Amino acid sequence: MKARLEPRINLQGRTSLETVIPLATPFIVFVDPASACNFKCAFCPTGHHDLIAETGRFQGAMKFEVFQKIIDDLAEFDRPLKVLRLYKDGEPFLNRRLADMVAYAKRSGRVDYVDTTTNGSLISPERMGPVLAAGLDKINISVDGMTADTYRKFTGFKFDFGRFVENVKWLYANRGRCEVVVKIPAELVDEPERQAFFDTFGDHCDRIFVENFAPCWPQFDIEQHTGVKISRGIYQQDVSDTDTCPYIFYGYSVNADGLVSACFLDWGRKLVIGDVRRQSMKEIWNSELMNALRLQHLEGRRRQNAVCGGCGQLSHCLPDNIDAHRPALLVKFKEAVHLDPSAIAPGGIAPGVVVTEAAA
């Protein structure tokens, strides 16, 4: 097998966040090319149309002019983004202008690295070729089973697995400088299928890994929806608790309609902190709503937040832990940020943070 047995996230050589917080420029920005998905995965809230309908969230592709404004706004920061992640809630390749997005970001000089994550159903040479030519740096491909029956059961999608494998092979052969990463949930394969996974994809990607399901989405019970009992972390690590979310200190997310969420896991639009169609990216990064959420975590009050309080990302998926540095970071944060004490509501969520308007 040519591929390295490593997870899609870089667990080594990470920046010690306690040495850089608060950040004038975010490290990572998630931008969702499309909030909809052609799969109906049991383990993902986007796959449950009834739940999504209740949120009132926009279902569709991001307009290219909204994306252009996002990238143009980055010029206000003092340095380029380390990473632009072109994914969040939906399937990125449902946006027909994905290649244009990659090209615009790469040409801007405001983004060092662009990656995306896909279910792989649309990575044909015709769709993938322009994205590679545009300069994509990395693609994470989610394999959701080793048979068409498994795909049908867990994704509700009639999947041509043979064609998918051939498309992955084509992608790897024509990837250029783009890193190809393939992963599969352990819960969707038995032991023989796990070996078949390595045999099928191991020579046609740069990294390969068997992950675990994780209760990462707040207020979405993945065990209830899948019937799978979760006991290990997503990268097969021990589960450990933490009180302080590091993500809100180095990144935020732009949804497909332009609403900005403090967290890339905000599927229900309950942590909306701004609207890039009306505000600049820098204004939102330094907004009262974003800083109020950061303060809540630094003061050890995460569990008072109705959304963050039950987040499994912090116990099952977390690559960084800043809990031990929280007292010192709180002092630094208060010195750097002048925050209105009323920005945190008694219920734990900043006023105005719940936005259900589809496309305001």
Side-chain angles (χ1 to χ4, degrees):
M1 185 174 73
K2 296 178 183 178
R4 305 187 308 276
L5 188 62
E6 295 178 5
R8 56 192 153 128
I9 193 168
N10 297 323
L11 296 176
Q12 306 300 322
R14 298 180 68 84
T15 299
S16 298
L17 294 175
E18 67 274 10
T19 67
V20 296
I21 294 173
L23 286 167
T25 303
F27 282 167
I28 296 173
V29 171
F30 286 76
V31 174
D32 202 11
S35 58
C37 187
N38 54 339
F39 281 16
K40 299 178 182 178
C41 297
F43 46 84
C44 172
T46 299
H48 294 263
H49 293 179
D50 54 340
L51 294 179
I52 298 305
E54 290 174 7
T55 70
R57 91 181 192 198
F58 169 74
Q59 288 288 88
M62 175 176 281
K63 294 180 180 178
F64 189 64
E65 55 267 30
V66 174
F67 181 78
Q68 287 178 305
K69 182 183 181 298
I70 293 166
I71 300 302
D72 293 347
D73 279 359
L74 298 180
E76 294 184 3
F77 290 111
D78 59 0
R79 62 186 63 187
L81 294 182
K82 289 181 178 290
V83 182
L84 174 67
R85 298 233 141 103
L86 289 178
Y87 66 92
K88 183 178 179 284
D89 296 316
E91 169 49 48
F93 281 85
L94 288 178
N95 191 315
R96 292 282 182 173
R97 302 203 67 178
L98 182 63
D100 294 330
M101 290 178 164
V102 175
Y104 194 82
K106 295 292 287 187
R107 287 197 306 264
S108 72
R110 299 168 188 136
V111 175
D112 290 338
Y113 189 92
V114 180
D115 65 20
T116 192
T117 294
T118 174
N119 61 33
S121 62
L122 300 173
I123 56 168
S124 64
E126 295 76 20
R127 297 290 291 277
M128 191 71 229
V131 178
L132 292 173
L136 186 70
D137 293 289
K138 179 182 174 185
I139 183 168
N140 302 303
I141 303 171
S142 300
V143 180
D144 294 315
M146 289 302 294
T147 68
D149 287 343
T150 301
Y151 266 88
R152 191 175 298 108
K153 177 180 178 182
F154 283 94
T155 74
F157 191 79
K158 187 177 180 181
F159 197 64
D160 189 335
F161 188 77
R163 179 175 295 179
F164 167 63
V165 172
E166 292 305 310
N167 284 338
V168 172
K169 291 180 178 179
W170 179 92
L171 166 59
Y172 184 68
N174 294 275
R175 71 193 186 284
R177 299 179 63 180
C178 180
E179 184 180 17
V180 178
V181 182
V182 178
K183 54 94 172 177
I184 195 171
E187 294 82 0
L188 300 186
V189 289
D190 56 24
E191 197 56 41
E193 288 175 328
R194 180 184 295 229
Q195 186 57 52
F197 168 68
F198 290 124
D199 292 343
T200 302
F201 297 103
D203 288 334
H204 306 287
C205 60
D206 298 294
R207 294 193 228 179
I208 194 168
F209 203 72
V210 178
E211 296 184 352
N212 294 327
F213 280 157
C216 52
W217 288 285
Q219 301 179 331
F220 178 80
D221 191 335
I222 192 172
E223 291 185 338
Q224 175 186 341
H225 287 292
T226 63
V228 173
K229 181 67 177 176
I230 298 172
S231 59
R232 299 280 291 170
I234 190 171
Y235 306 119
Q236 302 174 7
Q237 79 278 25
D238 291 336
V239 174
S240 59
D241 204 8
T242 184
D243 284 329
T244 317
C245 175
Y247 298 109
I248 56 178
F249 293 94
Y250 67 81
Y252 57 158
S253 305
V254 186
N255 298 302
D257 58 354
L259 294 177
V260 181
S261 291
C263 175
F264 65 99
L265 296 166
D266 182 29
W267 64 274
R269 306 299 186 265
K270 294 183 177 180
L271 292 173
V272 170
I273 55 171
D275 186 336
V276 77
R277 294 165 297 184
R278 297 184 175 92
Q279 301 163 273
S280 74
M281 291 290 287
K282 185 174 182 179
E283 178 186 355
I284 298 169
W285 176 248
N286 295 313
S287 66
E288 289 278 350
L289 289 175
M290 188 67 169
N291 282 330
L293 185 63
R294 292 166 177 148
L295 180 64
Q296 187 179 49
H297 281 246
L298 287 177
E299 290 184 339
R301 297 183 291 113
R302 172 176 74 85
R303 297 184 191 282
Q304 295 178 18
N305 189 304
V307 180
C308 301
C311 178
Q313 181 78 8
L314 301 186
S315 55
H316 289 69
C317 311
L318 196 65
D320 307 292
N321 191 328
I322 58 174
D323 276 359
H325 307 281
R326 194 171 65 215
L329 288 174
L330 178 59
V331 172
K332 288 174 60 179
F333 183 78
K334 286 184 173 180
E335 289 175 349
V337 175
H338 301 288
L339 185 66
D340 181 353
S342 66
I344 287 289
I349 299 179
V353 79
V354 179
V355 178
T356 58
E357 196 173 354

